Amino acid sequence: MSSSTVSDTRFGHPKGLFYLFFAELWERFSFYGMKALLILYMTKQLLFSDDMSIGIFAAYMSLVYVTPVLGGIIADHYIGYRKAIFLGGILMALGHFFLTIETPIFFYGSLALIIVGNGFFKPNISTFVGALYNEEDKRRDAGFTIFYMGINIGGAVAPLLCAWFAEVYGWHYGFMLAGFGMLLGLFFFYRGTNKNVFQEKGKVPNQKLYDQKWLGLNKGQLVTIGAFLAVPVFAIIVKFNQYEHYIVWIATIAITAMIVYIYRSVGIIARKRLLVTAYFTILMALFWAIFEQAGSSLTLFADRNINLVGLNAAQTNSINSGFIILLAIPFSWLWTVLIRKNKNPNSALKAGLGLFLLGLGFIVFAMSANSVDIFAKTPMWYLFVGYLILTVGELCISPIGLSKMTELSPKKYLAFIMGVFFSASFYGHFFAGKIAKLTTVSATEENMFASGIFGQITETITGLTPDFSGTNGAAFEQLYQYVSVYAVFGVLTAVIGILVMMISPFIKRLMSGVH
Protein backbone atom coordinates (compact mmCIF):
# COMPACT_ATOMS: atom_id res chain seq x y z
CA MET A 1 0.00 0.00 0.00
CA SER A 2 1.38 3.40 -0.99
CA SER A 3 1.81 6.19 1.52
CA SER A 4 0.82 8.81 -1.05
CA THR A 5 -2.07 9.35 -3.42
CA VAL A 6 -1.42 9.94 -7.13
CA SER A 7 -1.97 13.70 -6.72
CA ASP A 8 0.73 13.79 -4.04
CA THR A 9 3.36 12.14 -6.23
CA ARG A 10 5.89 13.27 -8.79
CA PHE A 11 7.59 10.78 -11.13
CA GLY A 12 5.98 8.03 -9.07
CA HIS A 13 7.38 9.21 -5.73
CA PRO A 14 6.06 11.49 -2.96
CA LYS A 15 6.56 15.15 -3.87
CA GLY A 16 8.35 15.67 -0.59
CA LEU A 17 11.21 13.46 -1.81
CA PHE A 18 12.30 15.99 -4.39
CA TYR A 19 12.31 18.88 -1.91
CA LEU A 20 14.44 16.76 0.41
CA PHE A 21 16.61 15.80 -2.58
CA PHE A 22 17.47 19.43 -3.35
CA ALA A 23 17.79 20.36 0.33
CA GLU A 24 20.32 17.56 0.84
CA LEU A 25 22.10 18.26 -2.45
CA TRP A 26 22.82 21.85 -1.45
CA GLU A 27 23.66 20.94 2.14
CA ARG A 28 26.21 18.42 0.86
CA PHE A 29 27.44 21.06 -1.59
CA SER A 30 28.21 23.31 1.37
CA PHE A 31 29.79 20.51 3.43
CA TYR A 32 32.01 19.04 0.71
CA GLY A 33 32.89 22.44 -0.72
CA MET A 34 34.25 23.58 2.63
CA LYS A 35 35.92 20.21 3.27
CA ALA A 36 37.81 20.43 -0.04
CA LEU A 37 39.26 23.81 0.93
CA LEU A 38 39.98 23.24 4.62
CA ILE A 39 43.35 21.44 4.64
CA LEU A 40 44.80 23.75 1.96
CA TYR A 41 43.40 26.84 3.69
CA MET A 42 45.16 25.86 6.91
CA THR A 43 48.53 25.07 5.29
CA LYS A 44 48.57 27.89 2.72
CA GLN A 45 46.61 30.76 4.23
CA LEU A 46 46.81 30.27 8.00
CA LEU A 47 50.33 28.80 7.60
CA PHE A 48 49.70 25.99 10.05
CA SER A 49 52.16 23.11 9.94
CA ASP A 50 51.09 19.91 8.18
CA ASP A 51 50.97 18.12 11.54
CA MET A 52 48.73 20.77 13.11
CA SER A 53 46.48 21.04 10.05
CA ILE A 54 45.98 17.28 9.79
CA GLY A 55 45.21 17.06 13.53
CA ILE A 56 42.53 19.75 13.25
CA PHE A 57 41.07 18.22 10.09
CA ALA A 58 40.88 14.72 11.63
CA ALA A 59 39.28 15.99 14.84
CA TYR A 60 36.72 18.02 12.87
CA MET A 61 35.81 15.13 10.58
CA SER A 62 35.59 12.56 13.37
CA LEU A 63 33.34 14.76 15.53
CA VAL A 64 31.10 15.47 12.54
CA TYR A 65 30.16 11.78 12.70
CA VAL A 66 29.55 11.73 16.46
CA THR A 67 26.93 14.47 16.75
CA PRO A 68 24.37 12.83 14.37
CA VAL A 69 23.78 10.11 16.98
CA LEU A 70 22.75 12.75 19.53
CA GLY A 71 20.87 14.84 16.97
CA GLY A 72 18.81 11.86 15.87
CA ILE A 73 17.83 10.99 19.46
CA ILE A 74 16.83 14.60 20.24
CA ALA A 75 14.70 14.82 17.09
CA ASP A 76 13.03 11.45 17.72
CA HIS A 77 12.04 12.30 21.28
CA TYR A 78 11.60 16.07 21.46
CA ILE A 79 11.67 18.41 18.46
CA GLY A 80 10.92 16.33 15.35
CA TYR A 81 12.71 16.17 12.02
CA ARG A 82 11.57 19.55 10.70
CA LYS A 83 12.83 21.67 13.58
CA ALA A 84 16.05 19.65 13.77
CA ILE A 85 16.75 20.20 10.06
CA PHE A 86 16.10 23.95 10.27
CA LEU A 87 18.27 24.30 13.39
CA GLY A 88 21.08 22.24 11.89
CA GLY A 89 21.00 24.13 8.61
CA ILE A 90 21.16 27.54 10.30
CA LEU A 91 24.10 26.46 12.47
CA MET A 92 25.99 25.10 9.46
CA ALA A 93 25.36 28.22 7.38
CA LEU A 94 26.69 30.37 10.23
CA GLY A 95 29.75 28.14 10.41
CA HIS A 96 30.56 28.56 6.74
CA PHE A 97 30.07 32.33 6.78
CA PHE A 98 32.10 32.80 9.98
CA LEU A 99 35.04 31.02 8.31
CA THR A 100 35.43 34.19 6.25
CA ILE A 101 36.58 35.98 9.44
CA GLU A 102 40.24 35.11 9.84
CA THR A 103 40.71 34.96 13.61
CA PRO A 104 41.30 31.88 15.79
CA ILE A 105 38.06 32.23 17.75
CA PHE A 106 35.99 32.37 14.56
CA PHE A 107 38.00 29.61 12.87
CA TYR A 108 37.53 27.06 15.65
CA GLY A 109 34.03 28.34 16.41
CA SER A 110 33.05 27.91 12.75
CA LEU A 111 34.17 24.30 12.68
CA ALA A 112 32.24 23.67 15.91
CA LEU A 113 29.09 25.28 14.47
CA ILE A 114 29.27 22.91 11.49
CA ILE A 115 29.91 19.91 13.78
CA VAL A 116 26.83 20.69 15.90
CA GLY A 117 24.71 21.70 12.90
CA ASN A 118 25.53 18.52 11.00
CA GLY A 119 24.39 16.54 14.04
CA PHE A 120 20.89 17.96 13.71
CA PHE A 121 20.68 18.09 9.90
CA LYS A 122 22.33 14.96 8.53
CA PRO A 123 20.56 12.08 10.35
CA ASN A 124 17.14 13.65 10.34
CA ILE A 125 16.83 14.52 6.67
CA SER A 126 17.81 10.93 5.83
CA THR A 127 15.24 9.58 8.29
CA PHE A 128 12.67 12.00 6.88
CA VAL A 129 13.05 10.34 3.46
CA GLY A 130 12.16 6.99 5.01
CA ALA A 131 9.16 8.56 6.75
CA LEU A 132 7.65 9.48 3.35
CA TYR A 133 7.03 5.79 2.63
CA ASN A 134 5.25 3.01 4.45
CA GLU A 135 7.55 0.14 5.45
CA GLU A 136 5.98 -2.17 2.85
CA ASP A 137 6.18 0.46 0.06
CA LYS A 138 8.21 -1.05 -2.79
CA ARG A 139 9.29 2.44 -3.96
CA ARG A 140 11.30 2.98 -0.78
CA ASP A 141 14.68 1.69 -2.05
CA ALA A 142 14.32 3.60 -5.32
CA GLY A 143 13.50 6.73 -3.31
CA PHE A 144 16.70 6.41 -1.29
CA THR A 145 18.66 5.83 -4.51
CA ILE A 146 17.35 9.14 -5.87
CA PHE A 147 18.13 10.87 -2.57
CA TYR A 148 21.69 9.51 -2.43
CA MET A 149 22.27 10.68 -5.99
CA GLY A 150 21.65 14.21 -4.70
CA ILE A 151 24.37 13.69 -2.09
CA ASN A 152 26.88 12.66 -4.75
CA ILE A 153 25.94 15.44 -7.16
CA GLY A 154 26.57 17.93 -4.36
CA GLY A 155 29.82 16.17 -3.47
CA ALA A 156 31.02 16.24 -7.09
CA VAL A 157 30.10 19.82 -7.98
CA ALA A 158 31.04 21.55 -4.70
CA PRO A 159 34.84 21.08 -4.81
CA LEU A 160 34.90 22.25 -8.44
CA LEU A 161 32.99 25.49 -7.82
CA CYS A 162 34.13 26.37 -4.29
CA ALA A 163 37.78 25.69 -5.14
CA TRP A 164 37.48 27.78 -8.32
CA PHE A 165 36.04 30.69 -6.32
CA ALA A 166 38.78 30.28 -3.72
CA GLU A 167 41.51 30.27 -6.36
CA VAL A 168 40.18 33.19 -8.42
CA TYR A 169 38.71 35.47 -5.75
CA GLY A 170 40.21 34.24 -2.45
CA TRP A 171 39.64 31.57 0.19
CA HIS A 172 36.86 33.49 1.93
CA TYR A 173 34.76 33.59 -1.24
CA GLY A 174 35.01 29.82 -1.48
CA PHE A 175 33.70 29.46 2.07
CA MET A 176 31.01 32.06 1.36
CA LEU A 177 29.81 30.07 -1.65
CA ALA A 178 29.56 27.00 0.58
CA GLY A 179 27.46 29.06 3.02
CA PHE A 180 25.11 30.19 0.25
CA GLY A 181 24.76 26.53 -0.75
CA MET A 182 23.52 25.74 2.75
CA LEU A 183 21.04 28.63 2.63
CA LEU A 184 19.76 27.35 -0.71
CA GLY A 185 19.25 23.92 0.85
CA LEU A 186 17.25 25.51 3.67
CA PHE A 187 15.21 27.44 1.10
CA PHE A 188 14.16 24.24 -0.67
CA PHE A 189 13.25 22.62 2.63
CA TYR A 190 11.26 25.68 3.75
CA ARG A 191 9.49 25.79 0.39
CA GLY A 192 8.49 22.15 0.74
CA THR A 193 7.21 22.78 4.26
CA ASN A 194 5.29 25.84 3.08
CA LYS A 195 3.65 23.86 0.27
CA ASN A 196 2.69 21.15 2.79
CA VAL A 197 4.26 18.40 0.65
CA PHE A 198 5.36 16.62 3.83
CA GLN A 199 1.78 16.66 5.18
CA GLU A 200 1.95 15.73 8.89
CA LYS A 201 5.33 14.01 8.73
CA GLY A 202 8.37 15.31 10.59
CA LYS A 203 6.49 17.41 13.12
CA VAL A 204 7.08 17.43 16.87
CA PRO A 205 6.48 13.80 17.99
CA ASN A 206 4.85 14.68 21.31
CA GLN A 207 3.46 18.20 21.50
CA LYS A 208 2.55 17.89 25.18
CA LEU A 209 6.13 16.88 26.07
CA TYR A 210 7.51 19.60 23.79
CA ASP A 211 5.43 22.27 25.53
CA GLN A 212 6.59 21.28 29.02
CA LYS A 213 8.71 24.15 30.32
CA TRP A 214 11.84 24.36 32.40
CA LEU A 215 12.90 27.81 33.57
CA GLY A 216 10.13 29.17 31.37
CA LEU A 217 11.52 27.56 28.20
CA ASN A 218 9.95 24.78 26.12
CA LYS A 219 11.92 21.84 24.70
CA GLY A 220 12.62 23.52 21.38
CA GLN A 221 14.07 26.60 23.04
CA LEU A 222 16.13 24.48 25.44
CA VAL A 223 17.54 22.40 22.57
CA THR A 224 18.45 25.54 20.61
CA ILE A 225 20.23 27.08 23.60
CA GLY A 226 21.96 23.76 24.31
CA ALA A 227 23.14 23.55 20.71
CA PHE A 228 24.79 26.97 20.87
CA LEU A 229 26.29 26.18 24.28
CA ALA A 230 27.82 23.01 22.80
CA VAL A 231 29.70 25.05 20.18
CA PRO A 232 32.55 26.27 22.44
CA VAL A 233 32.93 22.74 23.85
CA PHE A 234 33.51 21.27 20.39
CA ALA A 235 35.71 24.23 19.43
CA ILE A 236 37.99 23.46 22.37
CA ILE A 237 38.13 19.76 21.45
CA VAL A 238 39.13 20.62 17.87
CA LYS A 239 41.76 23.13 18.99
CA PHE A 240 43.28 20.76 21.53
CA ASN A 241 42.88 17.74 19.26
CA GLN A 242 46.01 16.08 20.67
CA TYR A 243 43.84 15.02 23.62
CA GLU A 244 41.04 13.57 21.48
CA HIS A 245 42.38 10.06 22.11
CA TYR A 246 40.92 10.27 25.62
CA ILE A 247 37.46 10.60 24.06
CA VAL A 248 38.25 7.60 21.85
CA TRP A 249 39.25 5.49 24.88
CA ILE A 250 36.15 6.49 26.85
CA ALA A 251 33.88 5.77 23.87
CA THR A 252 35.57 2.41 23.26
CA ILE A 253 35.24 1.30 26.89
CA ALA A 254 31.57 2.36 27.00
CA ILE A 255 30.71 0.66 23.68
CA THR A 256 32.56 -2.53 24.62
CA ALA A 257 30.85 -2.71 28.02
CA MET A 258 27.42 -2.28 26.42
CA ILE A 259 28.12 -4.91 23.75
CA VAL A 260 29.23 -7.38 26.44
CA TYR A 261 26.00 -6.65 28.35
CA ILE A 262 23.87 -7.21 25.24
CA TYR A 263 25.81 -10.37 24.39
CA ARG A 264 24.99 -11.84 27.78
CA SER A 265 21.32 -10.95 27.58
CA VAL A 266 20.41 -12.43 24.18
CA GLY A 267 20.09 -15.90 22.69
CA ILE A 268 22.68 -17.93 20.76
CA ILE A 269 21.71 -16.77 17.24
CA ALA A 270 21.51 -13.14 18.36
CA ARG A 271 24.95 -13.50 19.96
CA LYS A 272 26.48 -14.72 16.71
CA ARG A 273 24.90 -11.89 14.76
CA LEU A 274 26.01 -9.36 17.39
CA LEU A 275 29.61 -10.49 16.92
CA VAL A 276 29.20 -9.96 13.17
CA THR A 277 27.94 -6.38 13.70
CA ALA A 278 31.07 -5.67 15.78
CA TYR A 279 33.23 -7.30 13.08
CA PHE A 280 31.66 -5.22 10.28
CA THR A 281 32.04 -2.05 12.37
CA ILE A 282 35.77 -2.71 12.77
CA LEU A 283 36.15 -3.38 9.03
CA MET A 284 34.31 -0.15 8.17
CA ALA A 285 36.50 1.82 10.60
CA LEU A 286 39.58 0.40 8.85
CA PHE A 287 38.11 1.24 5.45
CA TRP A 288 37.42 4.87 6.38
CA ALA A 289 40.83 5.26 8.07
CA ILE A 290 42.52 4.58 4.73
CA PHE A 291 39.86 6.01 2.40
CA GLU A 292 39.66 9.36 4.20
CA GLN A 293 43.22 10.26 3.31
CA ALA A 294 41.30 11.83 0.43
CA GLY A 295 40.49 15.06 2.26
CA SER A 296 43.83 15.52 3.97
CA SER A 297 47.10 13.88 2.87
CA LEU A 298 45.90 13.04 -0.66
CA THR A 299 44.84 16.66 -1.22
CA LEU A 300 48.28 17.86 -0.06
CA PHE A 301 49.92 15.16 -2.23
CA ALA A 302 47.96 16.42 -5.24
CA ASP A 303 48.97 20.00 -4.48
CA ARG A 304 52.68 19.31 -4.05
CA ASN A 305 53.60 16.25 -6.06
CA ILE A 306 51.16 15.79 -8.94
CA ASN A 307 51.22 17.52 -12.33
CA LEU A 308 47.62 18.73 -12.18
CA VAL A 309 45.94 19.56 -15.48
CA GLY A 310 42.54 21.25 -15.58
CA LEU A 311 41.97 20.84 -11.83
CA ASN A 312 43.56 22.37 -8.77
CA ALA A 313 44.30 20.30 -5.66
CA ALA A 314 41.04 21.12 -3.88
CA GLN A 315 39.03 20.22 -6.98
CA THR A 316 40.47 16.70 -7.00
CA ASN A 317 38.10 16.01 -4.10
CA SER A 318 35.30 15.80 -6.68
CA ILE A 319 36.82 12.78 -8.45
CA ASN A 320 35.41 10.17 -6.04
CA SER A 321 31.86 11.56 -6.14
CA GLY A 322 32.08 11.83 -9.93
CA PHE A 323 32.95 8.15 -10.23
CA ILE A 324 30.17 7.27 -7.76
CA ILE A 325 27.64 9.04 -10.03
CA LEU A 326 28.96 7.16 -13.08
CA LEU A 327 29.16 3.75 -11.41
CA ALA A 328 26.29 3.67 -8.88
CA ILE A 329 23.58 2.66 -11.37
CA PRO A 330 25.73 0.00 -13.15
CA PHE A 331 26.65 -1.52 -9.76
CA SER A 332 23.02 -1.44 -8.63
CA TRP A 333 22.14 -3.28 -11.84
CA LEU A 334 25.00 -5.74 -11.28
CA TRP A 335 23.83 -6.66 -7.77
CA THR A 336 20.26 -7.06 -9.07
CA VAL A 337 21.38 -9.42 -11.86
CA LEU A 338 23.53 -11.46 -9.44
CA ILE A 339 20.62 -11.72 -6.99
CA ARG A 340 18.36 -12.93 -9.80
CA LYS A 341 20.93 -15.59 -10.72
CA ASN A 342 21.47 -16.47 -7.05
CA LYS A 343 25.16 -15.53 -7.36
CA ASN A 344 25.21 -12.35 -5.32
CA PRO A 345 28.29 -12.41 -3.00
CA ASN A 346 27.47 -12.28 0.70
CA SER A 347 28.23 -9.12 2.68
CA ALA A 348 31.33 -10.60 4.33
CA LEU A 349 32.88 -11.35 0.93
CA LYS A 350 31.97 -7.91 -0.41
CA ALA A 351 33.65 -6.31 2.61
CA GLY A 352 36.89 -8.14 1.87
CA LEU A 353 36.74 -7.22 -1.81
CA GLY A 354 36.13 -3.58 -0.89
CA LEU A 355 39.17 -3.51 1.38
CA PHE A 356 41.35 -5.25 -1.22
CA LEU A 357 40.41 -2.71 -3.90
CA LEU A 358 40.94 0.17 -1.47
CA GLY A 359 44.47 -1.08 -0.81
CA LEU A 360 45.07 -1.53 -4.54
CA GLY A 361 43.99 2.07 -5.17
CA PHE A 362 46.59 3.36 -2.74
CA ILE A 363 49.24 1.12 -4.27
CA VAL A 364 48.48 2.86 -7.58
CA PHE A 365 48.97 6.26 -5.90
CA ALA A 366 52.35 5.03 -4.67
CA MET A 367 53.33 3.62 -8.07
CA SER A 368 53.07 7.10 -9.54
CA ALA A 369 56.57 7.77 -8.15
CA ASN A 370 57.98 5.50 -10.87
CA SER A 371 57.10 8.23 -13.39
CA VAL A 372 58.32 11.21 -11.36
CA ASP A 373 59.89 14.16 -13.20
CA ILE A 374 62.83 16.36 -12.15
CA PHE A 375 60.47 18.58 -10.14
CA ALA A 376 59.21 15.66 -8.01
CA LYS A 377 55.86 15.76 -9.83
CA THR A 378 54.00 12.62 -10.86
CA PRO A 379 51.48 12.11 -13.72
CA MET A 380 47.87 12.99 -12.96
CA TRP A 381 46.42 9.85 -14.53
CA TYR A 382 47.64 7.76 -11.57
CA LEU A 383 45.37 9.86 -9.33
CA PHE A 384 42.33 9.14 -11.50
CA VAL A 385 43.07 5.41 -11.78
CA GLY A 386 43.67 5.13 -8.04
CA TYR A 387 40.41 6.93 -7.27
CA LEU A 388 38.54 4.75 -9.76
CA ILE A 389 39.75 1.55 -8.06
CA LEU A 390 39.02 2.70 -4.50
CA THR A 391 35.60 3.99 -5.61
CA VAL A 392 34.77 0.50 -6.91
CA GLY A 393 35.93 -0.77 -3.51
CA GLU A 394 33.57 1.69 -1.82
CA LEU A 395 30.67 0.45 -3.95
CA CYS A 396 31.51 -3.14 -2.94
CA ILE A 397 31.58 -2.45 0.79
CA SER A 398 28.70 0.05 0.86
CA PRO A 399 25.94 -2.65 0.86
CA ILE A 400 27.01 -3.34 4.47
CA GLY A 401 24.97 -0.42 5.64
CA LEU A 402 21.74 0.31 7.39
CA SER A 403 19.87 -2.68 5.97
CA LYS A 404 22.42 -5.30 7.09
CA MET A 405 22.81 -3.77 10.55
CA THR A 406 19.03 -3.72 10.90
CA GLU A 407 18.83 -7.41 10.01
CA LEU A 408 21.70 -8.46 12.28
CA SER A 409 20.92 -6.37 15.37
CA PRO A 410 18.77 -7.60 18.28
CA LYS A 411 15.53 -5.61 17.83
CA LYS A 412 15.51 -4.45 21.44
CA TYR A 413 18.94 -2.81 20.99
CA LEU A 414 18.62 -1.71 17.36
CA ALA A 415 19.14 2.02 18.00
CA PHE A 416 22.31 1.39 20.00
CA ILE A 417 23.79 -1.01 17.44
CA MET A 418 23.08 1.50 14.67
CA GLY A 419 24.93 4.10 16.73
CA VAL A 420 27.86 1.70 17.13
CA PHE A 421 27.95 1.16 13.36
CA PHE A 422 27.98 4.92 12.74
CA SER A 423 30.88 5.16 15.18
CA ALA A 424 32.99 3.44 12.49
CA SER A 425 33.19 6.82 10.76
CA PHE A 426 34.29 8.47 14.01
CA TYR A 427 37.05 5.90 14.58
CA GLY A 428 37.95 5.89 10.89
CA HIS A 429 38.52 9.65 10.73
CA PHE A 430 40.41 9.62 14.02
CA PHE A 431 42.87 7.01 12.74
CA ALA A 432 42.91 8.63 9.29
CA GLY A 433 44.48 11.62 11.01
CA LYS A 434 47.11 9.42 12.64
CA ILE A 435 47.99 7.87 9.28
CA ALA A 436 48.02 11.25 7.51
CA LYS A 437 50.47 12.61 10.10
CA LEU A 438 52.92 9.90 9.01
CA THR A 439 53.14 11.70 5.64
CA THR A 440 54.63 14.84 7.20
CA VAL A 441 58.36 15.43 6.85
CA SER A 442 60.12 15.83 10.20
CA ALA A 443 63.71 16.98 10.74
CA THR A 444 63.88 15.07 14.04
CA GLU A 445 61.96 11.85 13.30
CA GLU A 446 63.07 9.20 10.80
CA ASN A 447 60.60 7.79 8.28
CA MET A 448 59.50 4.46 9.77
CA PHE A 449 58.79 3.15 6.26
CA ALA A 450 62.33 3.79 4.98
CA SER A 451 63.97 0.61 6.29
CA GLY A 452 63.32 -3.07 6.90
CA ILE A 453 60.44 -4.84 5.18
CA PHE A 454 58.49 -1.59 4.91
CA GLY A 455 61.43 -0.01 3.10
CA GLN A 456 61.58 -2.98 0.72
CA ILE A 457 57.84 -2.68 0.00
CA THR A 458 58.24 1.04 -0.68
CA GLU A 459 61.21 0.60 -3.02
CA THR A 460 59.53 -2.26 -4.91
CA ILE A 461 56.33 -0.31 -5.52
CA THR A 462 57.64 3.25 -5.93
CA GLY A 463 61.15 2.75 -7.26
CA LEU A 464 62.40 5.32 -4.74
CA THR A 465 64.95 4.96 -1.95
CA PRO A 466 65.56 7.20 1.08
CA ASP A 467 69.06 8.03 -0.19
CA PHE A 468 67.81 9.14 -3.60
CA SER A 469 65.05 11.27 -2.09
CA GLY A 470 67.32 12.79 0.54
CA THR A 471 69.93 13.91 -1.99
CA ASN A 472 67.46 15.46 -4.46
CA GLY A 473 65.88 18.13 -2.29
CA ALA A 474 62.84 18.80 -0.11
CA ALA A 475 60.29 18.11 -2.86
CA PHE A 476 61.59 14.56 -3.34
CA GLU A 477 61.72 14.03 0.42
CA GLN A 478 58.06 15.01 0.66
CA LEU A 479 57.16 12.78 -2.28
CA TYR A 480 58.92 9.82 -0.64
CA GLN A 481 57.02 10.48 2.59
CA TYR A 482 53.65 10.34 0.80
CA VAL A 483 54.26 7.33 -1.44
CA SER A 484 55.97 5.27 1.28
CA VAL A 485 52.88 5.60 3.50
CA TYR A 486 50.52 4.85 0.61
CA ALA A 487 52.58 1.83 -0.51
CA VAL A 488 52.81 0.22 2.93
CA PHE A 489 49.23 0.90 4.00
CA GLY A 490 48.02 -0.07 0.53
CA VAL A 491 49.70 -3.47 0.80
CA LEU A 492 48.55 -4.00 4.40
CA THR A 493 44.95 -3.11 3.49
CA ALA A 494 44.97 -5.37 0.43
CA VAL A 495 46.32 -8.27 2.50
CA ILE A 496 43.64 -7.70 5.15
CA GLY A 497 41.05 -7.66 2.36
CA ILE A 498 42.28 -11.06 1.13
CA LEU A 499 42.13 -12.48 4.68
CA VAL A 500 38.60 -11.11 5.12
CA MET A 501 37.53 -12.83 1.89
CA MET A 502 39.14 -16.08 3.04
CA ILE A 503 37.22 -16.17 6.33
CA SER A 504 33.95 -14.91 4.77
CA PRO A 505 32.36 -18.43 4.79
CA PHE A 506 32.84 -18.58 8.57
CA ILE A 507 31.37 -15.08 9.01
CA LYS A 508 28.46 -16.03 6.75
CA ARG A 509 27.63 -18.94 9.07
CA LEU A 510 27.65 -16.59 12.08
CA MET A 511 25.13 -14.37 10.26
CA SER A 512 22.60 -17.23 10.58
CA GLY A 513 20.68 -16.73 7.37
CA VAL A 514 21.29 -13.02 6.80
CA HIS A 515 22.95 -12.58 3.39
Side-chain angles (χ1 to χ4, degrees):
M1 179 179 174
S2 172
S3 61
S4 306
T5 65
V6 174
S7 62
D8 292 328
T9 62
R10 181 175 295 172
F11 303 113
H13 288 273
K15 285 183 179 179
L17 173 66
F18 297 95
Y19 286 93
L20 296 178
F21 170 91
F22 284 107
E24 178 69 348
L25 186 157
W26 286 108
E27 182 273 330
R28 289 291 92 181
F29 175 94
S30 73
F31 181 84
Y32 286 113
M34 175 271 192
K35 177 187 173 184
L37 301 178
L38 184 57
I39 195 77
L40 295 170
Y41 174 67
M42 288 189 285
T43 55
K44 288 186 162 186
Q45 180 68 19
L46 301 182
L47 302 180
F48 292 169
S49 68
D50 283 8
D51 193 71
M52 180 178 179
S53 300
I54 289 169
I56 291 170
F57 184 88
Y60 162 72
M61 288 301 299
S62 62
L63 292 171
V64 152
Y65 287 94
V66 170
T67 52
V69 178
L70 300 174
I73 293 171
I74 291 171
D76 282 340
H77 290 84
Y78 301 110
I79 63 175
Y81 304 144
R82 299 189 189 193
K83 291 183 183 295
I85 290 168
F86 276 121
L87 175 59
I90 291 168
L91 289 167
M92 293 178 75
L94 288 173
H96 289 119
F97 286 125
F98 283 161
L99 272 172
T100 63
I101 304 173
E102 200 172 305
T103 62
I105 191 169
F106 276 98
F107 175 71
Y108 292 108
S110 296
L111 297 182
L113 280 165
I114 298 170
I115 289 168
V116 177
N118 186 73
F120 284 103
F121 193 100
K122 181 62 179 169
N124 294 305
I125 195 166
S126 299
T127 309
F128 207 161
V129 173
L132 297 178
Y133 302 89
N134 292 326
E135 287 188 14
E136 68 274 14
D137 197 326
K138 294 181 179 179
R139 303 171 301 165
R140 188 185 184 94
D141 287 346
F144 270 103
T145 300
I146 294 170
F147 180 72
Y148 290 140
M149 188 61 72
I151 294 175
N152 287 300
I153 291 172
V157 174
L160 298 176
L161 289 181
C162 291
W164 181 80
F165 262 76
E167 184 175 55
V168 175
Y169 300 107
W171 294 102
H172 300 148
Y173 288 93
F175 292 130
M176 195 174 293
L177 182 61
F180 280 120
M182 186 65 256
L183 290 180
L184 197 53
L186 281 175
F187 167 77
F188 276 103
F189 186 71
Y190 173 77
R191 189 172 175 81
T193 303
N194 219 28
K195 286 179 172 286
N196 199 35
V197 297
F198 306 126
Q199 299 173 356
E200 297 300 309
K201 297 179 178 69
K203 291 186 175 181
V204 173
N206 187 332
Q207 192 65 47
K208 185 176 180 181
L209 178 63
Y210 179 87
D211 291 333
Q212 288 178 1
K213 293 187 176 182
W214 185 71
L215 298 178
L217 302 170
N218 64 31
K219 293 296 186 295
Q221 293 165 331
L222 289 170
V223 167
T224 302
I225 293 171
F228 278 96
L229 290 176
V231 169
V233 176
F234 283 105
I236 291 170
I237 295 173
V238 172
K239 179 172 175 57
F240 298 100
N241 57 82
Q242 64 269 34
Y243 301 109
E244 190 186 6
H245 62 276
Y246 290 114
I247 297 175
V248 173
W249 277 112
I250 292 170
T252 303
I253 292 170
I255 289 171
T256 304
M258 187 63 185
I259 288 176
V260 170
Y261 170 78
I262 295 173
Y263 183 85
R264 291 177 174 176
S265 63
V266 297
I268 295 176
I269 292 178
R271 285 183 176 184
K272 292 179 180 179
R273 290 178 174 176
L274 182 65
L275 291 175
V276 176
T277 63
Y279 172 74
F280 280 152
T281 300
I282 292 170
L283 293 185
M284 290 303 298
L286 171 62
F287 184 89
W288 294 126
I290 308 300
F291 183 92
E292 286 301 334
Q293 297 306 304
S296 56
S297 71
L298 264 178
T299 302
L300 293 174
F301 174 55
D303 184 56
R304 297 165 179 172
N305 293 109
I306 294 180
N307 269 317
L308 296 175
V309 179
L311 297 175
N312 61 37
Q315 289 175 322
T316 61
N317 282 271
S318 69
I319 298 173
N320 171 243
S321 291
F323 279 135
I324 288 285
I325 293 171
L326 291 174
L327 298 174
I329 293 176
F331 262 78
S332 178
W333 173 82
L334 173 64
W335 300 139
T336 302
V337 170
L338 290 174
I339 290 171
R340 193 181 306 130
K341 293 183 177 181
N342 202 30
K343 293 183 178 180
N344 187 34
N346 63 71
S347 299
L349 185 61
K350 287 178 181 176
L353 182 59
L355 284 168
F356 174 77
L357 291 172
L358 174 66
L360 187 59
F362 274 84
I363 290 172
V364 170
F365 294 144
M367 288 174 63
S368 66
N370 288 282
S371 304
V372 67
D373 63 18
I374 59 173
F375 303 107
K377 298 278 188 176
T378 61
M380 187 176 179
W381 67 266
Y382 282 97
L383 187 69
F384 273 89
V385 173
Y387 263 117
L388 173 61
I389 295 171
L390 64 85
T391 300
V392 173
E394 182 184 5
L395 289 169
C396 288
I397 204 169
S398 60
I400 306 170
L402 301 180
S403 61
K404 286 294 168 281
M405 289 299 108
T406 302
E407 292 179 72
L408 291 167
S409 303
K411 300 306 177 187
K412 184 179 177 181
Y413 302 102
L414 177 58
F416 173 77
I417 298 300
M418 292 307 302
V420 171
F421 183 71
F422 285 131
S423 75
S425 295
F426 164 68
Y427 285 105
H429 283 89
F430 173 78
F431 287 108
K434 301 299 181 186
I435 294 170
K437 284 188 176 186
L438 296 174
T439 65
T440 62
V441 175
S442 173
T444 58
E445 295 181 17
E446 188 177 334
N447 185 343
M448 64 182 292
F449 303 116
S451 59
I453 188 169
F454 289 161
Q456 293 173 9
I457 290 172
T458 299
E459 185 175 353
T460 301
I461 293 174
T462 69
L464 297 181
T465 64
D467 291 338
F468 174 83
S469 303
T471 56
N472 280 273
F476 274 91
E477 282 190 85
Q478 182 64 81
L479 172 64
Y480 185 81
Q481 203 77 19
Y482 286 127
V483 296
S484 62
V485 172
Y486 298 157
V488 171
F489 277 97
V491 169
L492 290 175
T493 305
V495 169
I496 292 172
I498 292 171
L499 293 175
V500 169
M501 285 189 280
M502 289 174 63
I503 66 170
S504 63
F506 172 71
I507 300 298
K508 182 181 178 181
R509 287 196 295 274
L510 288 179
M511 293 168 73
S512 303
V514 176
H515 191 73

